[in-house]
Amino acid sequence: MNAYLQTRGFYRATFSDSVRIDTVGDQLQTHIVLRITPGSKTLVNKVGYAIEDSSLQTLTYQNNKESRLVKGSVYTKEAISQDLERLTNLYRSNGYYGFNKEILLAEVDTVDTKLLEIVTNPFQQINRIDSIQAKQQSNINWDIVIKNKKALDTFQTIPFTIRAVHFYPEVSIYESTDTLIGNKFLSNNFYKDAIFHNKTRKFSSKPLLQHNYLYPGTLYNEGLYYKTLNTLGQIGAWQQVDARILKTAKDSLDIHLFLVPAIKQSASIDLE
């Protein structure tokens, strides 16, 4: 119950219970009463971002209006997790392929800074504590700073560009993708936005190019990466779509898309 209340912003709930057992005939009946005092909701007071890389910090502040962590909103661990996920998606959709959610943490300050101010008069200090406690009975405010856990390395702070997009439209379901990358026995067909690696060239490249949203020379965008996989998977000619992303240089990536053709279905009807 306490865990549930915390998901709703109640972090100072108190519980008490009473148990009464009655005998009714040859049976024992137990009556349990749980009394819950949820207390005040915990609200977000201030939100700050302290990403040590200047480019990431700028990108963060340019998009902080998308955050649900705002002054006056209810503080929950779910809201924190969602904002960390939002930032990770933001970075990875702007070329930062090396960034992941585990890099970030949320630092929550639950201390009222007025208590840290030096006051020489003891009666004034007592009055200050009493006023803060009275305020907390009706309103609890926490400050949040989202930052990186440790120093970022170059892999996490360099925006990656797509160097090439490779299509393999005739992959066997039993075939290892490792044997296809760089396979000299496949015929290579070069187009403006992609390279096709074929065995028999029985599939047209047009529908694949029409459903591709990843282009050489553009920044890696994770949203477009998954959009490409999803739309390719909706083409009926292929039953399975897989992908691998390979780092080819300090700041460039090759994207390899492997497509397993769908098994042709046939039906026959005999009339007698």
Side-chain angles (χ1 to χ4, degrees):
M1 180 59 72
N2 191 42
Y4 170 76
L5 288 173
Q6 288 184 2
T7 64
R8 295 295 181 267
F10 296 99
Y11 281 83
R12 298 189 179 182
T14 58
F15 303 85
S16 62
D17 59 75
S18 61
V19 180
R20 188 181 82 249
I21 301 177
D22 297 330
T23 302
V24 180
D26 59 349
Q27 296 181 344
L28 293 177
Q29 293 185 351
T30 303
H31 302 270
I32 302 174
V33 177
L34 179 64
R35 296 179 179 85
I36 304 172
T37 304
S40 301
K41 277 189 174 183
T42 300
L43 304 179
V44 175
N45 183 41
K46 291 185 294 185
V47 181
Y49 298 93
I51 311 300
E52 70 175 29
D53 181 77
S54 60
S55 297
L56 289 172
Q57 181 78 342
T58 300
L59 184 61
T60 300
Y61 276 110
Q62 288 175 342
N63 294 271
N64 63 359
K65 290 183 179 180
E66 304 297 325
S67 175
R68 294 184 180 181
L69 283 178
V70 295
K71 183 179 178 65
S73 63
V74 176
Y75 172 87
T76 65
K77 292 180 181 178
E78 181 183 6
I80 293 288
S81 179
Q82 287 177 348
D83 208 50
L84 298 183
E85 191 74 39
R86 178 188 68 85
L87 289 175
T88 303
N89 291 337
L90 172 65
Y91 301 150
R92 291 179 66 87
S93 294
N94 283 272
Y96 294 95
Y97 172 72
F99 208 96
N100 60 71
K101 185 179 178 181
E102 285 66 36
I103 295 172
L104 298 172
L105 65 81
E107 192 174 83
V108 182
D109 184 5
T110 62
V111 178
D112 196 310
T113 55
K114 290 183 178 180
L115 288 174
L116 303 178
E117 296 176 2
I118 298 176
V119 178
T120 56
N121 188 323
F123 295 103
Q124 186 178 354
Q125 179 70 5
I126 291 172
N127 291 334
R128 177 170 294 180
I129 293 173
D130 289 340
S131 65
I132 291 173
Q133 288 178 339
K135 180 182 177 182
Q136 289 180 340
Q137 294 299 319
S138 58
N139 197 17
I140 304 169
N141 296 286
W142 288 354
D143 296 340
I144 303 169
V145 176
I146 294 179
K147 56 198 295 188
N148 45 285
K149 293 179 183 177
K150 56 185 180 180
L152 301 175
D153 58 35
T154 54
F155 178 62
Q156 297 159 345
T157 58
I158 289 179
F160 280 82
T161 300
I162 298 174
R163 188 187 73 162
V165 179
H166 302 261
F167 281 93
Y168 303 80
E170 301 172 278
V171 180
S172 167
I173 197 169
Y174 305 106
E175 206 164 18
S176 170
T177 56
D178 290 332
T179 63
L180 296 174
I181 298 176
N183 191 322
K184 63 181 180 179
F185 295 105
L186 296 176
S187 63
N188 301 322
N189 301 100
F190 295 85
Y191 294 85
K192 177 184 177 182
D193 296 322
I195 303 170
F196 280 73
H197 307 276
N198 298 290
K199 296 176 182 176
T200 63
R201 297 189 65 179
K202 65 180 179 180
F203 290 101
S204 170
S205 61
K206 186 176 181 179
L208 297 177
L209 293 173
Q210 289 176 337
H211 291 78
N212 174 45
Y213 299 92
L214 304 167
Y215 304 106
T218 63
L219 287 176
Y220 171 77
N221 185 316
E222 185 137 290
L224 296 180
Y225 170 74
Y226 284 114
K227 182 178 180 179
T228 296
L229 294 184
N230 290 333
T231 54
L232 290 175
Q234 295 172 6
I235 304 177
W238 290 274
Q239 62 173 314
Q240 182 176 317
V241 180
D242 294 314
R244 283 187 63 185
I245 301 175
L246 298 180
K247 181 183 174 185
T248 56
K250 180 182 177 181
D251 59 354
S252 62
L253 304 169
D254 274 9
I255 299 177
H256 299 261
L257 301 165
F258 307 95
L259 299 98
V260 178
I263 299 175
K264 290 185 177 181
Q265 303 292 332
S266 62
S268 62
I269 301 174
D270 295 329
L271 299 177
E272 297 183 359

